Amino acid sequence: MTNHGFIKVAAAIPDLVVGDCRFNTDKINRIINQAIERGVQIVCFPELSVTGYTCGDLFFQQTLIDEAEASVCRLLEETKQSEIIFIVGTPVRLSGKLFNAALVCRKGKVEGVVPKTYLPNNNEFYEKRWFVPSTNTDRTEIVFGDERVPFGTNLLFGNENFAFALEICEDLWAPVPPSSISAPAGAHVIFNLSASNELVGKNDYLKSLIAQQSARCLAGYVYASSGCGESTTDLVFAGNGIIYENGILLAQSERFSFESQLIVSEIDIDRLKADRMKTSSFTYPSGCIGRYIDIDVPKIKASRLSRKVNSLPFVPSDEKHRERCEEIFSIQVGGLAKRWTHTGVKTVVVGISGGLDSALALLVCAKTCDKLGLFRESIIGVTMPGYGTTGRTYNNALKLMRSLGVTVREIDITAACDLHFKDIGHDASVHDVTFENAQARERTQILMNIANQTYGLVIGTGDMSELALGWATYNGDHMSMYGVNSSIPKTLVRGLINYVADTLQDEHSKAALKDIVDTPVSPELLPANGDGEIVQRTEDIIGQYELHDFFLYYMLRFGFAPRKIFFLAQHAFAGKYTDDVIRQRMELFYRRFFAHQFKRSCMPDGPKVGSVNLSPRGDWRMPSDASVEAWLRDLEKI
């Protein structure tokens, strides 16, 4: 049915002629064939697309209604060899009344008919003149052509694995749209056949309405509205084809086009199911019963997605970058400000390495001081050069602290570490894990003791990517009194610092921050080379953070299996990383993630910023001795 959990859908906007049903169904047939060529599984046409929405009192004419039914029957005959599901709007008769209805068709058969529930009868709309609402009958079947087919607003097409439902135009604008019932009942995608005219400002409101309803229903939403072929006697129709997924816009048509349009995208059903599983408030309304109509969705061959897969899912998009960055800082500052005022401390103590994470933590501390009306001298920035510290990071640490006006302390840790190695009988020329971790723990000890000395709090600098990979020394940089970066992944850390640098007026701070962003990520625990340059580059050892953050997002946010994440990564990083590199990094990611849960089980407090977090008190509760084997076996199937 699906391609890696995706269903390929389309909103079709045909160029029609009002009242010419044969012409209109010919156009519909051509677009259906185009949709088949593009691998579409379900395509939706506008409201009353067989007759045209603006027929007016022609709907009272028997000739038009007979012609509409005959044209649909002819369309069914012409498409009976096609696997694709198509949905068209047409008037249908039942018990002497006329219904504005949607027909779900496949392989020459009408699988079900859904009547419109809410008929607008105000301002420019007067549908009750011709049609009756779905509440006018309790019939569950209708005769269309020579066949008896299911009829009703509660129809769900498909099965428990995947199902879709319909609503028609005004249904979406009602206080309780039919989709608010059909989605909790099991519909993963809602198709809306519409004929909404254009007014100034209406399009923005429409998109916000669809976005909200798709998010509220945790569903895909495909909206197809009448285009320029409709009569312009009093109204103009722009041809809106819009596809949303849980509040996210995937694709939209060109408005006011004089050509037929087919708007195609894929909806991630796995993603919707994951959100529904985790959302305890997503429940089925009592007293409402959905009726499943078993229908096979055509299978499609694995292909590339037409929708974009963001390679940096944690980083705000360009159009909302400034707003989101400010919001992230506000959350971090809000968390630290509360802890600062609650504990009544006089200072905050931060270890400044000249790297990304400590720079972000220091910026948060500075913003918190400003928020609380405190002097920045109450921030004690401590730089602690050691065996691997390079001139570049050392100078950037000093420049940043001085430009921000914080209290600067410098403590060289080499003598203390030499003494420690002597105490435990370790050869300092052996640059193993003991050599590295001793430095990290020495730095943490210094910070903790300075905090005691100055009645302060140690502010953690480690980020979420490091926590996910266990790339932290247990009880070293792993530990603090409040971790402001604990839910900020590395890719977002870089984005936030770039944002601050671009908005700063102080050229000294800006230059330091820009150079920090350009500096290779490194713990600097191994001696520099002969040229004084960093030799221990984190991404050379564990792989690129943009890959690990990508894996982390889709694993934690949606619970996707490795094969699904690999498929998404192929699209997101096409041309940048080979399949072999992605797979190797994924295996390393899973092995490290499972092996280092014990570090996350006792991580310090810190504010949740985004939808993904690793706090054992909040979003992520995992046993420290869980097995990774099932995930590795799934990887082997790639």
Side-chain angles (χ1 to χ4, degrees), residues 240-258:
N240 276 305
I242 305 171
I243 303 175
Y244 271 86
E245 176 187 284
N246 194 8
I248 299 171
L249 178 63
L250 300 180
Q252 60 183 323
S253 63
E254 176 191 345
R255 296 170 66 210
F256 301 105
S257 171
F258 286 93

Side-chain angles (χ1 to χ4, degrees), residues 150-168:
F151 178 85
T153 58
N154 65 338
L155 301 185
L156 303 177
F157 297 88
N159 49 51
E160 296 286 344
N161 187 46
F162 168 74
F164 65 90
L166 312 180
E167 55 190 15
I168 303 175

Side-chain angles (χ1 to χ4, degrees), residues 74-91:
R74 184 171 62 88
L75 178 62
L76 292 170
E77 180 66 24
E78 292 171 349
T79 58
K80 66 182 180 181
Q81 301 302 319
S82 302
E83 295 282 340
I84 192 172
I85 298 169
F86 64 90
I87 306 164
V88 294
T90 189

Side-chain angles (χ1 to χ4, degrees), residues 261-491:
Q261 295 187 74
L262 185 67
I263 298 84
V264 178
S265 191
E266 297 85 6
I267 293 174
D268 193 341
I269 305 304
D270 287 346
R271 186 170 182 158
L272 299 173
K273 288 178 179 178
D275 275 341
R276 291 181 175 190
M277 188 182 298
K278 290 194 294 185
T279 306
S280 59
S281 59
F282 188 80
T283 56
Y284 190 60
S286 60
C288 300
I289 302 173
R291 181 160 53 123
Y292 275 98
I293 306 299
D294 192 13
I295 181 173
D296 292 328
V297 176
K299 295 180 180 179
I300 60 172
K301 296 179 180 178
S303 60
R304 291 199 61 80
L305 299 175
S306 57
R307 61 186 275 173
K308 183 179 183 296
V309 179
N310 186 2
S311 62
L312 300 172
F314 288 111
V315 179
S317 58
D318 289 342
E319 62 269 20
K320 291 195 173 182
H321 189 75
R322 181 186 182 90
E323 176 186 340
R324 289 291 168 83
C325 287
E326 287 291 344
E327 192 171 25
I328 291 166
F329 272 116
S330 294
I331 293 171
Q332 289 180 284
V333 168
L336 179 56
K338 171 62 177 178
R339 183 56 51 93
W340 197 329
T341 55
H342 175 74
T343 55
V345 295
K346 296 179 180 178
T347 68
V348 290
V349 181
V350 194
I352 308 300
S353 66
L356 288 168
D357 295 337
S358 63
L360 178 59
L362 185 61
L363 290 171
V364 171
C365 291
K367 286 177 176 285
T368 305
C369 266
D370 297 344
K371 181 82 172 179
L372 296 175
L374 301 173
F375 293 112
R376 288 188 179 180
E377 287 83 359
S378 59
I379 303 169
I380 301 175
V382 187
T383 183
M384 296 167 280
Y387 303 107
T389 303
T390 61
R392 181 179 186 180
T393 55
Y394 171 73
N395 288 323
N396 279 337
L398 292 176
K399 286 178 185 176
L400 184 61
M401 288 188 286
R402 288 167 181 161
S403 65
L404 292 175
V406 307
T407 299
V408 179
R409 291 191 65 173
E410 180 178 340
I411 301 172
D412 193 306
I413 67 167
T414 52
C417 288
D418 285 341
L419 181 59
H420 180 65
F421 292 144
K422 181 179 178 181
D423 288 341
I424 66 172
H426 180 75
D427 185 350
S429 66
V430 178
H431 299 161
D432 57 5
V433 67
T434 303
F435 178 83
E436 294 186 30
N437 286 348
Q439 297 173 66
R441 294 191 178 104
E442 177 61 28
R443 287 179 170 129
T444 300
Q445 176 182 237
I446 290 171
L447 296 174
M448 293 287 182
N449 291 337
I450 290 177
N452 291 160
Q453 197 178 52
T454 61
Y455 198 57
L457 284 177
V458 175
I459 304 305
T461 61
D463 63 53
M464 185 166 63
S465 304
E466 294 177 343
L467 285 166
L469 295 164
W471 193 253
T473 299
Y474 192 88
N475 208 34
D477 52 308
H478 158 258
M479 192 48 59
S480 67
M481 296 174 185
Y482 196 72
V484 292
N485 295 342
S486 59
S487 67
I488 310 288
K490 188 74 76 177
T491 49

Side-chain angles (χ1 to χ4, degrees), residues 30-136:
R30 289 177 202 166
I31 295 178
I32 289 172
N33 289 327
Q34 292 172 20
I36 292 170
E37 290 176 4
R38 295 180 64 176
V40 171
Q41 293 164 280
I42 309 173
V43 57
C44 180
F45 291 84
E47 180 179 10
L48 296 171
S49 48
V50 171
T51 57
Y53 178 78
T54 50
C55 287
D57 282 354
L58 293 178
F59 285 123
F60 288 136
Q61 295 292 310
Q62 195 69 37
T63 301
L64 180 66
I65 307 306
D66 288 343
E67 182 71 10
E69 186 169 325
S71 295
V72 171
C73 290
R74 184 171 62 88
L75 178 62
L76 292 170
E77 180 66 24
E78 292 171 349
T79 58
K80 66 182 180 181
Q81 301 302 319
S82 302
E83 295 282 340
I84 192 172
I85 298 169
F86 64 90
I87 306 164
V88 294
T90 189
V92 297
R93 292 169 287 205
L94 178 62
S95 302
K97 297 295 183 182
L98 200 62
F99 290 83
N100 179 346
L103 278 58
V104 176
C105 310
R106 180 175 181 263
K107 296 187 74 172
K109 178 183 176 184
V110 177
E111 300 283 359
V113 177
V114 177
K116 190 170 184 175
T117 300
Y118 301 100
L119 302 182
N121 214 58
N122 55 285
N123 299 327
E124 65 264 43
F125 296 105
Y126 35 93
E127 284 187 33
K128 287 185 179 179
R129 180 179 176 90
W130 314 295
F131 302 107
V132 295
S134 62
T135 52
N136 192 261

